[in-house]
């Protein structure tokens, strides 16, 4: 499979627990993006990596959220002390250039906080 | 800041007919790019078509064309000869060419249903 891979596909967690999602981009892509999509809405930008450097962060990325890309390959998104409002689809995308027309999205991780 | 407005929550079209999905945008950036994505039930966002704000001609990509009217700040997607497989959510998005250039701003989407 040469697409963007996200794991797990679904996650149900209790409020207050920590969760971590993983994104494996297309192998030669050095740019990686995280988006959040709540029900009935379009995706909202969370953060952007170029190689291992986190170059942009949205104000949506509160102190409870942290994203890493330690070796410039896969990335993780952690949410601490989850809240019901964190329930959403978390989408990852990757690209080789800055042209977003060449960005590919994964199928997302759907988080449900109960 | 950028804003995308999609006023059609749902649209129906007969198979083989053409359909137009509306998108208006607001931005203070002098140059920007406009995108359309398809999101099937499997969840991934599939890139369809792109229009740069300084492109003189409307973009076309197979059965997809973008009706770009800069003065009206609209970027409608036209799908010709609809197919059952076109049933999905469709999102309009934009990015500026300065500042937050790596960030796409999406609209709320239009659910398209193609009827046999």
């Amino acid at each position: 499979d040469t697409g963007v891979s996200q794991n797990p596909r679904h996650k149900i967690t209790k409020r207050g627990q920590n969760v971590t999602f993983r994104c494996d981009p297309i192998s030669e892509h050095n740019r990686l993006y995280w988006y959040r999509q709540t029900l009935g809405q379009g995706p909202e930008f969370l953060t952007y990596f170029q190689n291992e450097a986190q170059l942009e962060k949205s104000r949506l990325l509160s102190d409870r959220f942290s994203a890493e890309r330690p070796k410039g390959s896969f990335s993780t998104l952690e949410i601490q002390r989850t809240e019901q409002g964190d329930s959403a689809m978390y989408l990852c995308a990757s690209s080789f250039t800055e042209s977003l027309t060449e960005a590919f999205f994964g199928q997302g991780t759907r988080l449900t906080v109960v | 800041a950028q804003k995308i407005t999609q006023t059609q929550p749902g649209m129906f079209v007969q198979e083989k007919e053409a359909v137009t999905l509306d998108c208006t945008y607001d931005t203070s950036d002098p140059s920007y790019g406009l995108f359309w994505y398809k999101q099937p039930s499997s969840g991934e966002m599939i890139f369809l078509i792109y229009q740069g704000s300084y492109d003189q001609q409307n973009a076309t990509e197979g059965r997809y064309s973008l009706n770009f009217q800069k003065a009206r700040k609209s970027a409608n997607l036209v799908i010709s000869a609809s197919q059952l497989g076109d049933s999905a959510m469709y999102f309009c998005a934009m990015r500026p060419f300065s500042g937050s250039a790596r960030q796409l701003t999406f609209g709320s989407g239009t659910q398209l249903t193609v009827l046999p």
Side-chain angles (χ1 to χ4, degrees):
Chain A
D1 187 2
T2 57
V4 177
S5 177
Q6 292 190 245
N7 288 287
R9 292 293 313 280
H10 302 274
K11 177 74 177 176
I12 300 174
T13 190
K14 290 184 179 178
R15 192 175 51 176
Q17 298 291 305
N18 299 345
V19 294
T20 300
F21 312 138
R22 176 176 169 127
C23 171
D24 287 273
I26 294 171
S27 60
E28 65 270 22
H29 286 187
N30 59 351
R31 291 166 169 83
L32 188 145
Y33 315 79
W34 283 99
Y35 282 79
R36 181 178 74 181
Q37 185 177 18
T38 53
L39 206 60
Q41 299 298 316
E44 298 170 290
F45 173 81
L46 290 178
T47 191
Y48 162 75
F49 289 87
Q50 185 169 329
N51 298 311
E52 64 275 7
Q54 188 174 21
L55 298 183
E56 289 186 31
K57 286 173 61 172
S58 163
R59 288 170 297 175
L60 291 174
L61 217 63
S62 75
D63 292 345
R64 296 185 298 106
F65 287 70
S66 63
E68 294 183 341
R69 195 181 182 200
K71 296 183 180 179
S73 56
F74 72 91
S75 175
T76 57
L77 178 67
E78 181 184 16
I79 309 175
Q80 296 182 326
R81 305 181 304 281
T82 51
E83 302 172 355
Q84 286 191 319
D86 297 331
S87 295
M89 175 82 86
Y90 291 84
L91 292 165
C92 175
S94 70
S95 66
F96 182 64
T97 70
E98 281 223 352
S99 172
L100 291 171
T101 62
E102 297 168 1
F104 292 85
F105 281 79
Q107 292 184 310
T109 294
R110 180 165 295 285
L111 172 67
T112 302
V113 182
V114 298
Chain B
Q2 295 80 44
K3 184 175 180 180
I4 297 284
T5 302
Q6 294 180 254
T7 57
Q8 305 155 313
M11 287 282 285
F12 292 87
V13 64
Q14 211 68 39
E15 194 178 7
K16 300 179 186 176
E17 302 270 307
V19 63
T20 298
L21 306 183
D22 294 342
C23 172
T24 58
Y25 61 90
D26 193 18
T27 181
S28 55
D29 289 282
S31 55
Y32 46 88
L34 294 155
F35 301 71
W36 276 93
Y37 287 86
K38 173 183 178 181
Q39 187 178 41
S41 57
S42 52
E44 75 275 24
M45 303 289 285
I46 302 169
F47 167 72
L48 297 177
I49 195 166
Y50 169 82
Q51 178 85 40
S53 59
Y54 284 104
D55 293 341
Q56 295 296 314
Q57 291 192 324
N58 286 345
T60 61
E61 198 71 52
R63 294 185 300 110
Y64 304 109
S65 60
L66 201 153
N67 184 0
F68 180 48
Q69 297 187 46
K70 193 171 182 179
R72 300 176 72 174
K73 294 191 174 180
S74 74
N76 298 339
L77 176 70
V78 180
I79 306 174
S80 63
S82 298
Q83 302 171 356
L84 295 177
D86 294 335
S87 293
M89 279 291 287
Y90 287 80
F91 290 95
C92 180
M94 74 178 299
R95 61 161 280 196
F97 285 172
S98 61
S100 308
R102 289 97 168 217
Q103 301 181 23
L104 285 167
T105 298
F106 287 84
S108 56
T110 296
Q111 177 71 49
L112 177 67
T113 303
V114 180
L115 302 170

